[in-house]
Amino acid sequence: MRLLIQSVLRSAANAKRGIHTTSAYTKEAFSPSTYTPVAALSSDNIGARLSRTILHTVPEEEAKLRIELAAAYRLFDHFSWNDDVVNHLTVSITEPDGSKSFLINPYGLRYDEITASSLLKIDAKGNVLNPGVVGDIFTANKAGFVIHSAIHATPNTKAHAVLHCHEPTITGIASTKDGFISSLSQTSSIIGPVAYHDFEGIVVDEKEQATIVKNLGDKEVLLLRNHGVITTGQTIGGAWYRMNLLLKAAEIQKTTQSIATAGGGIYMPKQEAADKAHQVAKTFSGHTLGVMEFSAYMRMLDKMDPSYRL
Ligand SMILES: [Zn+2]
């Protein structure tokens, strides 16, 4: 009787505070420790899947690309270049029959959750070829893949890796009439000239693909005006390092322009100096641009949380 009275008093107190309880649930049907609005998306359910690996079932080259791309997602998260669960980092795979497939994030996972085995393998139209460990719950965001598939499908392209983000500073610079000043600093000079693409709304229309490819041309960086940025590379490390440099250069430009606006003016270097920086940086480390740097940051991830390798 005493317990019943306590229960009634607790319910009355909760009702007063606006907390509604029901006696209809059982412990089996409802667990306060794992509840999410969608049961399949609980920590338990997703976590169990992400602890599995499929790397022993795929060719070695694909396994390596999966690990590198998962590392890129984790690094985007680490540096806060991601935008919730949207946007994509993709890499192309040449299949034994010569056809192209692509690795992409499952739409719904956070970047810090991505593992090598959680990446989806898709064809050029976004159809899933290998669902990985979470493909029964999440699928590819075909609309978001429109930009990537356009670049990947370009004949003889060297853009095997295509990375996209909406980081505020570079998006702000992409939305100014002056745009990105490639020769402003040593950092920006290493990147060199960039390309531009005008905003046409959220990119879901395949007709826009031709314009994206035309505008990118032979450049490795495409500023999407009023939207964001794309970096490309022959390797994931190259595209990642290009993004790293670009976002740092964007900060330098923002700082320089704000000081100049206050009356300092901008001192521009000679164009020859910028061109020299661009050329020298290509082979400065003894590796293809970005490979050494990307390996260094994979070691950082290994110290922090090596689960991306699963
Ligand atoms: Zn975007």
Side-chain angles (χ1 to χ4, degrees):
M1 177 57 81
R2 193 176 161 195
L3 285 174
L4 180 63
I5 291 169
Q6 283 177 340
S7 172
V8 169
L9 288 174
R10 200 179 306 121
S11 294
N14 283 345
K16 205 174 174 183
R17 298 205 307 267
I19 300 169
H20 300 285
T21 59
T22 171
S23 59
Y25 68 76
T26 63
K27 281 187 177 174
E28 290 72 35
F30 171 71
S31 167
S33 62
T34 60
Y35 167 76
T36 50
V38 180
L41 305 184
S42 70
S43 295
D44 277 3
N45 200 36
I46 301 301
R49 281 170 167 74
L50 293 177
S51 67
R52 300 173 195 152
T53 183
I54 61 160
L55 293 191
H56 57 286
T57 68
V58 302
E60 185 178 319
E61 284 309 307
E62 180 179 331
K64 288 176 179 172
L65 289 175
R66 282 178 173 275
I67 292 168
E68 287 184 37
L69 192 61
Y73 277 102
R74 296 290 184 101
L75 289 173
F76 266 57
D77 176 74
H78 178 76
F79 291 107
S80 301
W81 302 342
N82 51 337
D83 198 347
D84 298 326
V85 296
V86 297
N87 292 338
H88 303 304
L89 320 177
T90 58
V91 67
S92 63
I93 297 173
T94 304
E95 297 291 339
D97 66 359
S99 65
K100 285 276 179 72
S101 60
F102 310 92
L103 294 177
I104 190 168
N105 51 324
Y107 183 39
L109 276 193
R110 299 189 316 271
Y111 281 21
D112 64 296
E113 294 180 301
I114 300 278
T115 63
S117 297
S118 70
L119 295 167
L120 305 174
K121 186 157 87 169
I122 60 175
D123 66 16
K125 295 206 176 297
N127 300 309
V128 176
L129 305 174
N130 186 336
V133 294
V134 292
D136 59 328
I137 296 177
F138 303 109
T139 189
N141 180 355
K142 288 187 186 182
F145 186 55
V146 169
I147 299 173
H148 296 249
S149 60
I151 297 170
H152 283 304
T154 309
N156 303 317
T157 182
K158 290 179 180 173
H160 300 308
V162 177
L163 314 183
H164 171 49
C165 75
H166 298 161
E167 193 274 341
T169 304
I170 193 63
T171 304
I173 287 172
S175 308
T176 62
K177 287 183 178 168
D178 285 346
F180 182 68
I181 308 173
S182 293
S183 55
L184 179 63
S185 65
Q186 175 171 288
T187 311
S188 59
S189 298
I190 293 171
I191 296 161
V194 301
Y196 293 89
H197 177 72
D198 282 351
F199 186 55
E200 298 181 25
I202 292 177
V203 188
V204 292
D205 186 349
E206 292 184 5
K207 285 181 192 161
E208 196 176 340
Q209 289 185 313
T211 337
I212 289 170
V213 169
K214 184 168 169 247
N215 289 340
L216 177 62
D218 61 356
K219 307 281 194 313
E220 290 157 317
V221 174
L222 181 63
L223 296 192
L224 305 169
R225 287 190 170 110
N226 316 98
H227 174 180
V229 64
I230 286 172
T231 60
T232 71
Q234 277 186 285
T235 64
I236 294 167
W240 174 81
Y241 189 54
R242 203 159 277 121
M243 183 68 81
N244 189 32
L245 289 171
L246 182 70
L247 300 188
K248 284 177 178 167
E251 287 296 328
I252 293 171
Q253 180 172 333
K254 183 174 83 171
T255 306
T256 307
Q257 287 181 320
S258 66
I259 294 168
T261 304
I266 297 179
Y267 187 88
M268 290 298 296
K270 290 183 182 141
Q271 187 59 45
E272 303 93 88
D275 293 342
K276 185 180 169 189
H278 183 63
Q279 289 305 323
V280 169
K282 285 182 180 175
T283 54
F284 193 65
S285 71
H287 301 273
T288 309
L289 183 72
V291 170
M292 184 180 75
E293 292 81 357
F294 189 66
S295 301
Y297 277 95
M298 284 177 76
R299 297 198 301 275
M300 182 191 79
L301 290 175
D302 290 337
K303 273 190 182 176
M304 291 167 45
D305 176 6
S307 64
Y308 71 95
R309 292 180 178 274
L310 279 173

